[in-house]
Amino acid sequence: MQNVTLNVQGMSCGHCVNAVEKSVGALTGVDQVKVNLAEGLVDIAFDEAKVSLDQIKETIDDQGYDVK
């Protein structure tokens, strides 16, 4: 299990939090997603054998947010 914290820009409300948590949480291999809206951070615990960090970043990008 790998833990990573991503800097995500463009999130501004509860809908943004739900969009990111639901889309990333739906990926196979993602165990936990926690968004810190005030800091613009997303903490993710995932199994790197089942899902790549690039797939996670792409999923966040697909929701309309910028991953730094």
Side-chain angles (χ1 to χ4, degrees), residues 41-53:
L41 301 175
V42 181
D43 295 320
I44 305 161
F46 65 100
D47 182 345
E48 60 272 16
K50 295 182 181 176
V51 64
S52 71
L53 183 55

Side-chain angles (χ1 to χ4, degrees), residues 7-27:
N7 183 338
V8 179
Q9 297 181 346
M11 299 183 299
S12 61
C13 64
H15 172 75
C16 301
V17 171
N18 289 338
V20 170
E21 287 183 346
K22 282 183 122 177
S23 62
V24 174
L27 294 171

